[in-house]
Each structure stands twice: as structure tokens, then as C-alpha cells.
Amino acid sequence: MATFHFDLVSPEKLAFSGEVDQVDVPGVEGDFGVLAGHAPVVATVRPGILTITTAGKRDKVIVLGGLAEMSDKGLTVLADVATTIAELDRAKFAETIKEMEEKLAEKEGSELDHAIERLDHFKSIQNELNTTAMH
């Protein structure tokens, strides 16, 4: 299988850099997979789990928004936050969800819609983390 260069960058660190077989990205307009030779694209990343496949090994990284760009140089994801599942403090993540739920009452209109959508993304991540396939 042909490989391509992939960089996952967050404000804190370069989370990943190397040759990969495939990257599955949680996009705002739907999740999408990137393989070598993918057409150039720029997409907004939603909170979700990004999967990096290299030589049959799959690494999952939690991303909390950002931007993905595929070019002739490879794929770059500039993530607001990028955390491996092993690094994630699950109790803190659950507390963040609880705080988001409590703050919903303070919002209205499109701000409420956006807050509910973001909360749904976080709950989706938490649900995937709690499935047996992730342990």
C-alpha cells in the first residue's frame, strides 16, 4: 500500500509526524478517510477520534476541533487539542461533559444549538471510549 506524510499538530506539541497508510478524520461535514493520492482538500475537524493506520497498526487520537489540509506534500491536521487515548484523563473528560450540560441553561438561540452540537460530539467520544473495542 502506498504511504503519505502525515503531521498532527496541536498548540502544545507535534503529536504525530511520519509516513502512514491511512488517516480517518472526524470532519464537520462527515468523517472521511485519506489515502495516498487523495485530492487536495481543506476541511474543518470536529471533536472526535482520529485514526492513524500504519502497517496494519491503528492509533486513535482524540481531537477537539481544528483544520485538516491535504496537499501534494501530505496531510496536516492542526488540532485545537490532540490527546492519545492513553493520555486522556477520563474523569476530567467526564467532568467537562457535566459542566457543558450544566451551562446549557444559560444559552439560547444559535448559541444553544452550537453548545448542544459540541456536547453531542463530546458524548460521542465518551461513548466510543467506553466500548470494549477501545480498551
Side-chain angles (χ1 to χ4, degrees):
M1 174 178 260
T3 63
F4 62 97
H5 188 78
F6 172 56
D7 287 323
L8 175 57
V9 183
S10 72
E12 297 84 32
K13 64 186 175 203
L14 176 62
F16 182 94
S17 181
E19 294 297 307
V20 299
D21 296 328
Q22 179 174 342
V23 178
D24 296 315
V25 181
V28 168
E29 295 182 21
D31 295 359
F32 60 97
V34 177
L35 298 168
H38 193 286
V41 67
V42 175
T44 305
V45 176
R46 68 167 172 76
I49 296 179
L50 181 142
T51 305
I52 305 163
T53 305
T54 309
K57 181 177 174 254
R58 299 177 135 224
D59 293 312
K60 295 183 180 281
V61 180
I62 297 164
V63 292
L64 300 180
L67 193 66
E69 178 187 17
M70 182 65 187
S71 70
D72 57 350
K73 294 178 181 130
L75 174 65
T76 301
V77 173
L78 304 173
D80 298 339
V81 173
T83 305
T84 66
I85 291 174
E87 295 173 332
L88 181 70
D89 181 338
R90 291 181 188 223
K92 186 176 179 184
F93 193 75
E95 184 62 31
T96 298
I97 290 173
K98 184 178 177 192
E99 290 171 8
M100 291 170 76
E101 289 172 332
E102 291 168 356
K103 290 181 181 178
L104 285 179
E106 303 168 10
K107 302 185 184 321
E108 56 186 47
S110 63
E111 189 179 69
L112 176 61
D113 293 341
H114 179 70
I116 290 171
E117 181 180 28
R118 188 158 175 85
L119 176 61
D120 285 346
H121 292 312
F122 275 63
K123 283 184 171 184
S124 175
I125 293 168
Q126 186 178 46
N127 185 48
E128 193 165 340
L129 291 172
N130 290 335
T131 62
T132 56
M134 298 300 292
H135 295 282

